[in-house]
Amino acid sequence: MIPNHIIVRFGELTTKGKNRKNFTRKLLNNTKEILKDFDKLTYQLTYDHLYIMLNGSDPQSVMEKLKTVFGIHSFSLCYKVEADLEKVKEVAAYIINHDEGMSFKIDTKRNDKSFPMTSLEMNKAIAGYVFHNTTKEELRVDVHHPDILVKVEYRKDYAYVMDNVVLGAGGYPVGIGGKALLMLSGGIDSPVAGYLMMKRGIDIECIHYASPPYTNEKAREKVLDLVDVMKNYGHGKITVHIIPFTQIQLSIYDHADESYAITIMRRMMYRIAQQVARERNCKAIVNGESVGQVASQTLDSMQVINEVINTPVIRPVACADKLEIIKLAEDIGTYDISIRPFEDCCTIFTPHNPATKPKSYRCEAYEKEWDYQAQIDEAVANKETIVIDSTYKNDEEDDLF
């Protein structure tokens, strides 16, 4: 017996009023993009649910992909059968007998109230059939914390019998809230920040600052591999802008005191990010800064760095400690990539004694020493733009270490 449907539940989307259709349609489109490799699937969107017809596709593979789609509260494997209680009993027994769990609960809802039995009576009838058709000697009913939850929706012409509820990623469908530009360093924090933004329905593009020959090709590949993981939490595609940053960094060290190098470097990064964000219609800049974690992330530093732009800057992990960020990075699959031993431009050029309470007037004085805007314009003009989608493959993956 093979499940023929997956039923998707919306969760937080149900709180939306007149805009609800926009949210559910966006979720449908994102789901189709994530599952586009499964060419047999068909979809039906209703007010309360999204139904995915498997049409012979492997259900476990489809479910693994669904777990990453923001906007999905939960989903279940589903067997659609004719509205015959005996058929429902057979499917329920099959589900329970093929699950490792030893306790179960039947939860029936009747959309067709003309059926002669109440929901409670149907629960008892199905459970009785299961007990008479099982090889599990220790099988028991547990209505509070069952190992196996079988949900039944009984309608006039057919019934849905659903396997255990699988929790989805939650949040809003990516793209429903506009687009932001993520400053992606290649470390642990920034991919997590991007993930959290996508969870709130924000589409992202990424910007990465490369300083060859001080940063090498492996650092670049590391960033692209991070984006390859992150794309699965959106709609299957993320654009990355790689900025040539070497000349700007060298100019900073030529014209500024070493203790101010990181502060001015970040000011330049923000200026570049704002230019790219405006070009790409991104409404905000996002980064992985966590308050107090490094010298450029003290409140004094943030204030001085932030003052060079007027685009909103969002810091999703600002109040999380490092262990919390690491745990989330592990959960979303970016941690092992982030810890590859290839440094970005920030870590390579870190001064010995960076200023933790920088002053704006000193930054401005250093910046007047050269025409940094011309270098910024040149860097933006020479950026490399790459789209990471399902066709991306790192051919040198096996040689990373």
Side-chain angles (χ1 to χ4, degrees):
M1 193 176 294
I2 301 174
N4 46 30
H5 282 58
I6 293 177
I7 184 169
V8 175
R9 305 174 188 88
F10 299 144
E12 191 173 1
L13 304 193
T14 61
T15 63
K16 299 301 172 184
K18 294 180 180 179
N19 292 329
R20 179 170 177 153
K21 283 186 178 179
N22 295 333
F23 281 77
T24 55
R25 285 172 182 165
K26 187 64 176 176
L27 175 60
L28 172 60
N29 291 336
N30 290 353
T31 302
K32 285 181 175 180
E33 281 295 322
I34 293 295
L35 299 178
K36 67 180 180 181
D37 291 339
F38 301 91
D39 54 8
K40 295 180 182 178
L41 300 179
T42 54
Y43 303 83
Q44 180 186 2
L45 180 63
T46 68
Y47 184 77
D48 292 320
H49 298 102
L50 169 62
Y51 296 92
I52 302 174
M53 281 65 79
L54 293 168
N55 299 318
S57 300
D58 177 51
Q60 296 302 323
S61 298
V62 175
M63 287 171 62
E64 282 303 308
K65 288 281 190 178
L66 275 182
K67 289 177 183 178
T68 68
V69 181
F70 286 124
I72 294 178
H73 173 66
S74 66
F75 56 91
S76 299
L77 280 176
C78 183
Y79 302 75
K80 184 179 180 180
V81 297
E82 58 189 272
D84 182 335
L85 185 57
E86 296 306 312
K87 292 285 187 183
V88 171
K89 290 177 181 178
E90 291 174 8
V91 175
Y94 177 85
I95 292 172
I96 292 167
N97 284 328
H98 286 79
D99 192 291
E100 295 180 356
M102 297 305 296
S103 64
F104 73 96
K105 175 184 177 180
I106 307 294
D107 181 16
T108 303
K109 291 183 179 179
R110 296 177 305 144
N111 294 74
D112 178 18
K113 301 300 182 182
S114 66
F115 193 76
M117 298 174 69
T118 66
S119 295
L120 181 59
E121 289 170 339
M122 293 175 72
N123 289 343
K124 291 179 178 178
I126 296 168
Y129 180 90
V130 169
F131 278 120
H132 283 91
N133 292 273
T134 183
T135 57
K136 297 180 178 180
E137 295 182 1
E138 298 180 5
L139 186 67
R140 67 188 187 282
V141 171
D142 184 342
V143 297
H144 298 295
H145 304 288
D147 298 329
I148 313 163
L149 173 62
V150 177
K151 298 176 73 71
V152 178
E153 287 188 12
Y154 209 93
R155 306 188 179 185
K156 186 171 183 178
D157 299 318
Y158 53 86
Y160 288 112
V161 186
M162 289 164 275
D163 206 335
N164 283 322
V165 173
V166 179
L167 288 179
Y172 291 141
V174 172
I176 198 67
K179 186 168 63 172
L181 184 66
L182 172 67
M183 298 172 72
L184 186 63
S185 67
I188 297 170
D189 303 339
S190 52
V192 172
Y195 168 89
L196 292 173
M197 287 299 290
M198 288 191 288
K199 187 169 186 176
R200 301 316 301 160
I202 306 299
D203 201 357
I204 63 168
E205 293 193 7
C206 299
I207 185 169
H208 175 71
Y209 302 89
S211 294
Y214 303 100
T215 58
N216 62 31
E217 185 66 17
K218 298 300 184 183
R220 179 179 181 276
E221 291 172 4
K222 174 181 174 181
V223 167
L224 298 182
D225 286 349
L226 285 170
V227 177
D228 188 42
V229 174
M230 295 169 64
K231 78 178 192 303
N232 296 317
Y233 294 96
H235 44 68
K237 179 172 67 176
I238 294 178
T239 299
V240 187
H241 308 283
I242 299 179
I243 303 293
F245 200 59
T246 307
Q247 291 307 312
I248 294 175
Q249 284 196 287
L250 293 176
S251 294
I252 292 170
Y253 276 86
D254 284 342
H255 297 96
D257 186 87
E258 185 186 9
S259 64
Y260 268 69
I262 287 293
T263 304
I264 295 176
M265 182 185 72
R266 296 294 289 177
R267 284 163 65 100
M268 297 300 168
M269 287 179 169
Y270 272 44
R271 289 178 171 118
I272 292 171
Q274 178 167 265
Q275 281 191 215
V276 174
R278 288 174 175 173
E279 286 182 8
R280 303 293 298 182
N281 195 31
C282 296
K283 306 300 183 185
I285 294 169
V286 182
N287 61 42
E289 292 177 345
S290 177
V291 176
Q293 191 174 116
V294 294
S296 64
Q297 295 173 19
T298 64
L299 290 183
D300 294 271
S301 292
M302 287 182 182
Q303 182 182 28
V304 171
I305 292 167
N306 230 106
E307 67 187 12
V308 301
I309 62 170
N310 52 28
T311 302
V313 178
I314 302 175
R315 301 172 172 87
V317 298
C319 297
D321 66 39
K322 196 67 177 183
L323 293 179
E324 291 172 325
I325 298 170
I326 288 172
K327 174 63 168 62
L328 190 47
E330 291 172 338
D331 290 343
I332 67 176
T334 57
Y335 179 76
D336 288 341
I337 301 172
S338 292
I339 61 173
R340 290 177 188 170
F342 308 118
E343 297 181 302
D344 58 39
C345 61
C346 293
T347 52
I348 286 176
F349 284 88
T350 300
H352 295 296
N353 295 298
T356 58
K357 294 184 178 182
K359 304 301 179 184
S360 297
Y361 70 88
R362 292 195 64 181
C363 292
E364 292 165 1
Y366 291 134
E367 290 170 352
K368 286 179 180 178
E369 294 293 319
W370 86 101
D371 186 3
Y372 66 81
Q373 188 59 52
Q375 289 186 322
I376 286 175
D377 293 340
E378 183 180 2
V380 173
N382 292 317
K383 69 181 181 295
E384 179 184 7
T385 297
I386 303 169
V387 177
I388 302 296
D389 56 19
S390 60
T391 64
Y392 172 76
K393 187 178 188 306
N394 179 5
D395 293 329
E396 299 183 18
E397 193 172 28
D398 294 334
D399 300 324
L400 286 171
F401 298 98

